Amino acid sequence: DCTSCHTPASSQVLGPRTWQLNCDYSYPGTTTSGNQLQIWSDLGMFDQTLTATQIAGLLKSVSIHDASAPLETRVRSYLDSNCSSCHRPGGVQAYLDFRYATPLAQQGIINGPLKDTLGISGAHEVTPGSLAQSMMHIRLASLDPSIQMPPMGRNTVDTGALQIIDQWINSLAPLAAPFPLTATTTDYAAITLNWTSQSSNHTGFRIQRSTNGTTWTQIATPSAEARSFTDVSILPDTIYFYVIAASNGADVSPWSNQ
C-alpha cells in the first residue's frame, strides 16, 4: 500500500514543500516564533542562506481554514497537500495536476475532462456552480471505496474542508446582474434603490452612482441578503444614475440596468 502513494512521480517523499513552510510559526516550549523558512535558514538547515527578500518571493500556501486568504488559494493549498502526490504528471491515470506550483489554468480542474464520469452527464473535475456535476465534490464526499478519494487511508469525510471546497465550486458559476433595479425618491434628501438578485452564489453587491451616466463612483457594498439601499448623500436639483452588480470572491457580474 505504501508504494501506491510513495511513487517515483512524487520522488517517493511526501514531506513538506517550501510553500507549506513559508509561514509564521510559534515553536512550543520556546520563545521563538517567525517565518519557518527564515528560522531554518538561520539555523543552517539549508545548503544556502535565504534572505528575507528571497523568502518573500517564494510561493506560500495556506490552511484551508484560513478565512483571511482567498478561497482559490485555500482550496489549491488543500489539494496540493492531500492529492498532488498522485495527481501530477507521471502519477495516476487522470488528467489532473494538483501541485500548488502549477497555475490553476493548467491544472485540469475547472471544466477539466475525466477518465471516469461515473455515468454523470455533464460531469467535469469541477463544473462551476454544480456540485452534482463536480467530481471533486462527489469523490471527497463519498465513503464508497470504489468512488472516494483518496481511495485508501480515509474512513471519514473532512466535512470542514468539503464545505469550503463546495463554496469555491459554487463561487465559480458566472454571476448574473441584479434585475430590475428601480429608484424611488423618498424625500428631497434620499433616493431608495430596490433590486432582485438573479444569482445564488453572490456574497454581496456593489452600487455605483453617476451624475452623467458616464463617470461612475462606487458608493455602497450591500450584503448578500440586501435587496434595497437608501442613498442619503444626494444634492438638490441633481440628476443621479445608479447601477448595481453582484459580487463574490471570484467574480463580479455585469452591471444592471440604470
Side-chain angles (χ1 to χ4, degrees):
D1 285 349
C2 296
T3 56
S4 297
C5 295
H6 294 270
T7 65
S10 63
S11 302
Q12 269 98 27
V13 177
L14 306 183
R17 306 297 181 185
T18 302
W19 46 83
Q20 295 168 334
L21 297 171
N22 190 9
C23 61
D24 289 342
Y25 182 73
S26 296
Y27 290 85
T30 74
T31 58
T32 301
S33 64
N35 182 281
Q36 291 185 94
L37 293 178
Q38 187 67 71
I39 291 174
W40 288 19
S41 176
D42 293 344
L43 292 173
M45 297 176 65
F46 301 136
D47 60 3
Q48 60 177 295
T49 300
L50 299 177
T51 66
T53 300
Q54 288 175 309
I55 292 172
L58 297 174
L59 285 174
K60 179 179 180 179
S61 62
V62 300
S63 165
I64 196 169
H65 302 294
D66 182 356
S68 67
L71 268 177
E72 178 187 309
T73 302
R74 297 159 68 184
V75 172
R76 293 184 64 238
S77 296
Y78 182 88
L79 296 174
D80 172 75
S81 296
N82 292 277
C83 311
S84 68
S85 58
C86 292
H87 291 285
R88 60 170 59 210
V92 295
Q93 294 183 359
Y95 307 116
L96 293 166
D97 183 357
F98 281 147
R99 294 175 300 173
Y100 189 69
T102 303
L104 177 63
Q106 300 173 23
Q107 289 187 292
I109 295 176
I110 299 176
N111 290 318
L114 299 169
K115 291 282 290 186
D116 183 1
T117 65
L118 300 180
I120 300 171
S121 177
H124 301 90
E125 181 59 32
V126 164
T127 302
S130 176
L131 300 182
Q133 294 175 306
S134 293
M135 197 58 61
M136 182 180 295
H137 164 83
I138 293 167
R139 292 194 182 278
L140 290 176
S142 177
L143 291 177
D144 182 335
S146 67
I147 296 176
Q148 72 176 48
M149 283 292 164
M152 61 182 67
R154 176 167 79 84
N155 59 9
T156 187
V157 174
D158 187 345
T159 54
L162 183 62
Q163 181 180 12
I164 295 165
I165 291 170
D166 289 352
Q167 183 182 352
W168 178 65
I169 292 172
N170 285 326
S171 76
L172 297 172
L175 291 169
F179 180 84
L181 174 67
T182 62
T184 305
T185 302
T186 52
D187 57 44
Y188 291 108
I191 295 175
T192 296
L193 306 177
N194 291 277
W195 63 88
T196 300
S197 175
Q198 303 298 326
S199 301
S200 60
N201 60 328
H202 61 288
T203 58
F205 297 97
R206 301 181 185 183
I207 296 176
Q208 291 191 353
R209 186 181 69 188
S210 173
T211 56
N212 57 18
T214 301
T215 304
W216 298 89
T217 301
Q218 184 165 293
I219 61 169
T221 54
S223 68
E225 296 75 24
R227 296 296 181 268
S228 67
F229 169 78
T230 300
D231 183 5
V232 295
S233 62
I234 62 175
L235 299 174
D237 301 320
T238 304
I239 296 175
Y240 290 100
F241 301 85
Y242 296 89
V243 290
I244 185 171
S247 64
N248 59 29
D251 195 17
V252 177
S253 78
W255 292 102
S256 67
N257 61 294
Q258 295 184 24

